[in-house]
Amino acid sequence: MTILLALLIDRFLGEPPARLHPVIWMGQYLEHAGRRLPDLPPWLALPAGAVAWAVGAAATVAGAGAATWLVSDLPAWLELVLLAFLLKPMFALTLLLSEVAATETALREGLAAGRARLGSLVSRDTAELEPEQVREAAIESLAENLSDSLVAPLFWFLVAGLPGAALYRFANTADAMWGYRGRWEWAGKVAARADDLLNLIPARLTALALLGADALRRDRRTVLAAEARRTASPNSGWPMAAMAMALGLRLGKPGHYVLNEGGTAPGPEDLPRALERARRAGLGLALLAAVVQVAMAEVIIHV
């Protein structure tokens, strides 16, 4: 029931204030701890980055564990409510959908507005993108972040409770801030690899959900795996390729990869289609997670 209540909180209350948001706290730690890491020589940057990551991860897990312990002695209904409020900041489905939808709204106002809005979603340079490329990037971000912002936190919540969800959110935030090549090649290597590891299963679950009924066909799963390997990331290509295949679209990043090359370029009607696909897939997996949570609780009670 914790997951169901957290989903309702996400839908109707949204994100907590920034000053109370644990992911903001994680970002503040990472910004402070990483201030000088990229300037270190590689032989020192790698272990220093690993230690800084480990300290933040340990503090995150300890804080989530302490919060879980503090509410565990409360009446069951109050424990449920508080745990749901603690879980909610670890995922953000409603925010993700609204941010991606805002890109299409801005694009209809003008190409410059669409490019600017997209810049809040992706790290790539948006200054020269054409309208279909803006939509491509927005749909890719939607698919990738459906895993990062919803499926993975709930998956790790099922595996290890609130500490598991919090650890994932810390790792994903660290990868977003430290996991770049260039200056962060060595200092951010542990952050990038940890995020890769924690996303291995969630990314593939997300892809199967986005693919829908076609996921039952072995030939379509084979194509999905081949398409996913076109990207450099071991994980992000899976949900992006699945979205491209499900909608019959060509998605890609200029100079890097093309997914579902035989598909059509995204048009004005395709971003709403992608949003609806993501909403259904995300809610389907979230509800499945809620069922699994209830089943696990029943097993524990009867053991």
Side-chain angles (χ1 to χ4, degrees):
M1 294 298 291
T2 305
I3 292 175
L4 283 177
L5 183 54
L7 285 169
L8 291 173
I9 294 169
D10 177 70
R11 174 63 180 84
F12 293 106
L13 297 182
E15 300 301 308
R19 67 181 184 278
L20 300 177
H21 206 305
V23 180
I24 301 295
W25 302 343
M26 295 173 193
Q28 290 171 343
Y29 165 79
L30 289 163
E31 181 179 5
H32 177 76
R35 192 165 296 161
R36 294 182 176 84
L37 289 178
D39 299 323
L40 297 173
W43 63 269
L44 186 56
L46 179 59
V51 169
W53 185 94
V55 168
T60 298
V61 170
T68 303
W69 176 76
L70 286 172
V71 304
S72 62
D73 288 334
L74 298 174
W77 68 269
L78 185 54
E79 178 186 1
L80 169 65
V81 171
L82 292 178
L83 193 57
F85 271 97
L86 290 169
L87 173 61
K88 159 61 202 92
M90 302 305 141
F91 70 89
L93 177 61
T94 299
L95 179 62
L96 170 64
L97 296 175
S98 65
E99 286 294 311
V100 175
T103 301
E104 180 62 36
T105 301
L107 192 56
R108 291 175 180 175
E109 295 173 359
L111 181 55
R115 289 168 173 169
R117 189 70 190 190
L118 178 66
S120 66
L121 288 174
V122 301
S123 58
R124 72 183 69 174
D125 183 9
T126 65
E128 303 298 326
L129 297 183
E130 296 300 321
E132 64 271 15
Q133 293 174 317
V134 171
R135 293 188 175 98
E136 278 185 79
I139 293 171
E140 287 180 337
S141 179
L142 171 64
E144 181 180 2
N145 282 294
L146 183 64
S147 177
D148 292 354
S149 297
L150 177 70
V151 179
L154 295 185
F155 174 83
W156 288 107
F157 178 74
L158 289 178
V159 171
L162 187 63
L167 175 62
Y168 172 77
R169 180 48 61 208
F170 175 81
N172 188 247
T173 305
D175 179 60
M177 296 179 67
W178 293 3
Y180 294 100
R181 295 188 181 275
R183 289 181 67 238
W184 282 96
E185 175 70 24
W186 294 102
K189 192 170 289 291
V190 168
R193 294 297 174 265
D195 183 71
D196 287 344
L197 179 63
L198 292 174
N199 274 305
L200 280 174
I201 296 175
R204 286 150 181 80
L205 291 175
T206 305
L208 294 176
L210 286 170
L211 201 56
D214 273 1
L216 299 175
R217 295 171 47 188
R218 178 177 294 181
D219 62 322
R220 296 297 282 168
R221 296 196 303 271
T222 300
V223 173
L224 172 62
E227 290 292 320
R229 286 193 292 269
R230 295 181 184 275
T231 66
S233 167
N235 299 312
S236 62
W238 285 83
M240 292 192 301
M243 182 70 87
M245 292 170 61
L247 299 181
L249 299 176
R250 183 192 70 242
L251 301 177
K253 184 176 182 179
H256 293 269
Y257 59 83
V258 176
L259 301 173
N260 197 38
E261 192 166 5
T264 59
E269 73 284 355
D270 290 315
L271 200 46
R273 290 173 60 216
L275 284 162
E276 183 57 29
R277 192 87 183 190
R279 181 183 290 106
R280 291 202 308 265
L283 288 176
L285 286 176
L287 292 175
L288 177 60
V291 170
V292 171
Q293 183 192 20
V294 172
M296 290 169 60
E298 288 294 319
V299 169
I300 292 172
I301 288 172
H302 291 95
V303 169

